[in-house]
């Protein structure tokens, strides 16, 4: 229950990020945007989320995981309303950037919290709830975009009274305020992270939380394990960025950084944030392009569920290998579909759905599970923020230049580049990535972090 509640931050992140996919069709002509300005309208959220990822981990180390998530919920709500009423491009970007602060905080702290409360045997599955909620949020945004588009075209009196037809993109953005308020209220029933409580000397509170998760014997064992991992360390509040670059952490930092780059450089947010645009360029109409975007969301959801089912059975490494292979093949298929003399919309749709399925089965959920597992207790908040920042920075660049790439390089070359990155990533994962399933966080620290 706690994991699902905390993971609602992932829902808001997914919704906030992908709702713009339906909005770009309307704001480009309304605000007379250039391609780079259009890319900025999409990517601006990711820019501030990059900053939030860097500060939210250390902030949560000081204040607690739950208070930071509550602030994120408030930011989501304010951003949704401000975006909906934005009178110009600058105001819209500013509102999106405010929401980005919530996105960055939720994206980092939610999986971190879940990993710190979950038993090792089901940790991968529970942490993946966050990714599941992200894809549910993405799917919900695609669906509400399509529903609002159709309502705007209907003859319903109440839809006309609400000016849904004239202001459809504003309704697409504003509806997010409802789940944001619900998330804030739901967090009131969530306890603080037990590992955070132990690190701040609040053993009795941590024991009460852990006894609700498992039993009293396991709770005592968990508390002893956390204390043992911190015994020779200074207070958690003294951790600095320099400490991440100690030789002892080099292996886990390199692995996490490579996975962080790989998740975004293969083009997932180009598809999620520009899906209707891509489908329109394949030759289908506006309504069909929005409907195909709904299919993208549904495929993403189904294969994320499959990943959650198998991540603790098969392990993290096999899922990444299978998924990256599928990403490479599907990106090449999309590239071929756009390069043929007559663009093949069915081939492009199949390639995009296959790509989304491969991503959802691998890089989507597995990256955040690995982030929550690889780093030691003392530096976990800062380390996850650091690699999350790298992930978000790459995402920002991909989103920003994608409209420019389509216009100047063409669809075929753009997707060919993404496929090439996937092939390189497959080689890296096969050579470097260890398996982490079924081991406690303290066992992984002893195995991977060596002075």
């Amino acid at each position: 229950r706690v994991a699902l509640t905390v993971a609602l931050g992932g829902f808001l992140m997914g919704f906030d990020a992908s709702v713009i996919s339906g909005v770009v069709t309307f704001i480009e002509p309304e605000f007379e945007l250039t391609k780079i300005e259009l890319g900025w309208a999409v990517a601006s959220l990711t820019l501030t989320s990059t900053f939030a990822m860097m500060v939210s981990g250390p902030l949560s180390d000081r204040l607690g995981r739950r208070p930071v998530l509550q602030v994120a919920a408030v930011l989501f709500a304010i951003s949704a309303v401000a975006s909906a009423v934005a009178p110009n491009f600058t105001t819209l970007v500013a509102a999106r950037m405010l929401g980005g602060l919530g996105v960055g905080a939720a994206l980092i702290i939610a999986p971190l919290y879940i990993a710190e409360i979950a038993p090792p045997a089901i940790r991968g599955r529970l942490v993946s709830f966050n990714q599941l909620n992200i894809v549910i949020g993405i799917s919900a945004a695609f669906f509400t975009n399509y529903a609002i588009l159709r309502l705007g075209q209907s003859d319903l009196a109440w839809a006309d009274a609400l000016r849904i037809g004239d202001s459809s993109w504003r309704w697409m953005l504003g509806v997010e305020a409802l789940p944001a308020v619900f998330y804030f209220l739901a967090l009131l029933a969530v306890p603080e992270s037990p590992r955070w409580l132990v690190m701040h000397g609040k053993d009795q509170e941590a024991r009460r939380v852990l006894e609700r998760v498992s039993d009293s014997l396991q709770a005592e064992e968990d508390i002893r394990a956390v204390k043992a991992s911190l015994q020779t360390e200074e207070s958690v509040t003294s951790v600095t960025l320099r400490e991440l670059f100690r030789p002892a952490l080099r292996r886990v930092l390199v692995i996490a950084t490579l996975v962080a780059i790989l998740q975004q450089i293969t083009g997932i947010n180009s598809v999620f944030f520009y899906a209707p645009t891509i489908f329109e360029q394949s030759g289908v109409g506006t309504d069909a392009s929005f409907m195909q975007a709904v299919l993208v969301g549904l495929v993403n959801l189904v294969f994320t569920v499959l990943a959650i089912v198998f991540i603790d059975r098969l392990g993290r490494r096999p899922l990444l290998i299978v998924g990256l292979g599928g990403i490479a093949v599907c990106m090449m298929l999309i590239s071929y579909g756009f390069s043929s003399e007559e663009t093949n919309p069915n081939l492009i749709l199949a390639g995009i759905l296959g790509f989304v399925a491969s991503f959802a089965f691998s890089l989507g959920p597995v990256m955040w599970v690995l982030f929550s597992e690889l780093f030691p207790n003392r530096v976990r908040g800062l380390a996850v923020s650091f690699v999350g920042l790298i992930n978000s920075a790459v995402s920002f660049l991909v989103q920003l230049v994608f409209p420019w790439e389509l216009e100047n390089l063409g669809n075929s070359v753009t997707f060919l580049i993404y496929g090439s990155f996937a092939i390189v990533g497959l080689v890296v994962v096969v050579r470097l990535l260890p398996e982490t399933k079924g081991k406690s966080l303290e066992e992984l620290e002893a195995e991977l972090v060596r002075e």
Side-chain angles (χ1 to χ4, degrees):
R1 177 181 60 82
V2 169
L4 283 171
T5 301
V6 171
L8 287 174
F11 175 91
L12 287 165
M13 179 270 162
F15 192 100
D16 205 21
S18 67
V19 70
I20 197 69
S21 66
V23 172
V24 293
T25 303
F26 300 97
I27 63 172
E28 183 176 12
E30 181 166 335
F31 294 142
E32 298 179 347
L33 305 181
T34 67
K35 292 299 182 184
I36 288 296
E37 285 175 333
L38 184 63
W40 183 253
V42 173
S44 57
L45 177 143
T46 306
L47 181 64
T48 48
S49 74
T50 302
F51 169 76
M53 285 179 182
M54 195 61 215
V55 302
S56 59
L59 195 63
S60 76
D61 285 341
R62 291 176 179 270
L63 304 179
R65 314 311 191 202
R66 188 177 72 169
V68 175
L69 290 174
Q70 289 176 313
V71 171
V74 172
L75 292 173
F76 280 125
I78 296 173
S79 172
V81 175
S83 298
V85 300
N88 52 51
F89 171 67
T90 302
T91 306
L92 175 62
V93 168
R96 293 270 297 161
M97 294 178 79
L98 184 65
L101 296 175
V103 166
L107 199 57
I108 290 296
I109 304 305
L112 177 67
Y113 175 100
I114 297 170
E116 290 181 339
I117 200 173
I122 58 171
R123 187 178 58 243
R125 195 177 314 152
L126 293 186
V127 174
S128 295
F129 282 171
N130 191 61
Q131 181 65 23
L132 175 63
N133 273 292
I134 290 174
V135 303
I136 291 174
I138 291 170
S139 300
F142 287 143
F143 177 79
T144 57
N145 283 352
Y146 179 69
I148 289 170
L149 181 70
R150 295 306 300 268
L151 278 175
Q153 299 168 348
S154 71
D155 296 325
L156 296 173
W158 64 268
D160 186 57
L162 293 173
R163 298 184 60 195
I164 293 179
D166 296 334
S167 306
S168 57
W169 68 268
R170 297 183 184 277
W171 283 99
M172 291 175 186
L173 292 168
V175 73
E176 184 195 353
L178 297 176
V181 172
F182 177 79
Y183 185 46
F184 178 85
L185 296 175
L187 284 171
L188 297 176
V190 169
E192 185 51 83
S193 158
R195 280 180 167 80
W196 184 89
L197 291 170
V198 172
M199 288 189 285
H200 287 263
K202 301 180 179 181
D203 292 7
Q204 285 301 111
E205 292 179 52
R207 186 174 290 106
R208 284 195 293 269
V209 175
L210 288 169
E211 285 176 351
R212 295 178 66 186
V213 173
S214 51
D215 55 53
S216 57
L217 291 177
Q218 186 63 48
E220 289 297 332
E221 184 178 333
D222 288 342
I223 290 172
R224 284 196 301 270
V226 174
K227 286 189 170 183
S229 73
L230 298 170
Q231 190 172 10
T232 59
E233 303 285 355
E234 297 175 358
S235 171
V236 68
T237 56
S238 65
V239 175
T240 63
L241 187 61
R242 180 185 302 176
E243 192 157 350
L244 295 183
F245 295 92
R246 289 187 296 127
L249 294 176
R250 184 177 301 151
R251 181 185 179 192
V252 292
L253 186 61
V254 167
I255 292 170
T257 299
L258 289 173
V259 173
I261 294 171
L262 185 61
Q263 196 212 40
Q264 291 298 327
I265 209 168
T266 48
I268 188 60
N269 280 336
S270 294
V271 172
F272 284 156
F273 292 5
Y274 295 97
T277 301
I278 295 169
F279 290 130
E280 274 199 81
Q281 292 187 2
S282 72
V284 300
T286 299
D287 282 11
S289 68
F290 272 73
M291 188 63 234
Q292 289 183 352
V294 172
L295 291 178
V296 168
L298 292 175
V299 168
N300 191 25
L301 175 59
V302 169
F303 280 85
T304 298
V305 171
L306 289 176
I308 292 173
V309 170
F310 288 107
I311 194 167
D312 285 319
R313 298 181 186 179
L314 301 179
R316 290 56 160 155
R317 180 182 161 90
L319 263 61
L320 280 181
I321 291 173
V322 171
L324 280 167
I327 289 171
V329 170
C330 291
M331 280 301 185
M332 299 301 176
L333 190 66
I334 298 168
S335 176
Y336 177 76
F338 275 116
S339 68
S340 55
E341 292 185 8
E342 287 191 13
T343 301
N344 188 330
N346 292 328
L347 189 63
I348 292 167
L349 176 61
I352 288 179
L353 294 181
F355 162 63
V356 170
S358 299
F359 177 88
F361 190 70
S362 58
L363 280 170
V366 173
M367 184 190 78
W368 294 110
V369 173
L370 286 175
F371 282 3
S372 67
E373 293 177 330
L374 289 173
F375 296 104
N377 281 318
R378 180 170 179 264
V379 301
R380 187 175 297 119
L382 178 61
V384 173
S385 288
F386 178 74
V387 291
L389 181 147
I390 294 173
N391 175 265
S392 189
V394 176
S395 176
F396 169 76
L397 292 174
V398 170
Q399 296 167 45
L400 179 66
V401 303
F402 184 69
W404 179 90
E405 285 180 305
L406 294 185
E407 186 175 53
N408 293 276
L409 301 180
N411 303 65
S412 181
V413 173
T414 299
F415 287 103
L416 180 63
I417 292 171
Y418 292 151
S420 300
F421 282 132
I423 293 171
V424 173
L426 180 60
V427 174
V428 169
V429 165
V430 170
R431 291 178 62 88
L432 296 182
L433 187 69
E435 184 54 72
T436 60
K437 72 168 182 174
K439 301 174 183 177
S440 73
L441 298 180
E442 289 69 37
E443 287 173 338
L444 287 171
E445 178 178 345
E447 179 181 329
L448 298 174
V449 179
R450 298 182 181 177
E451 300 292 346

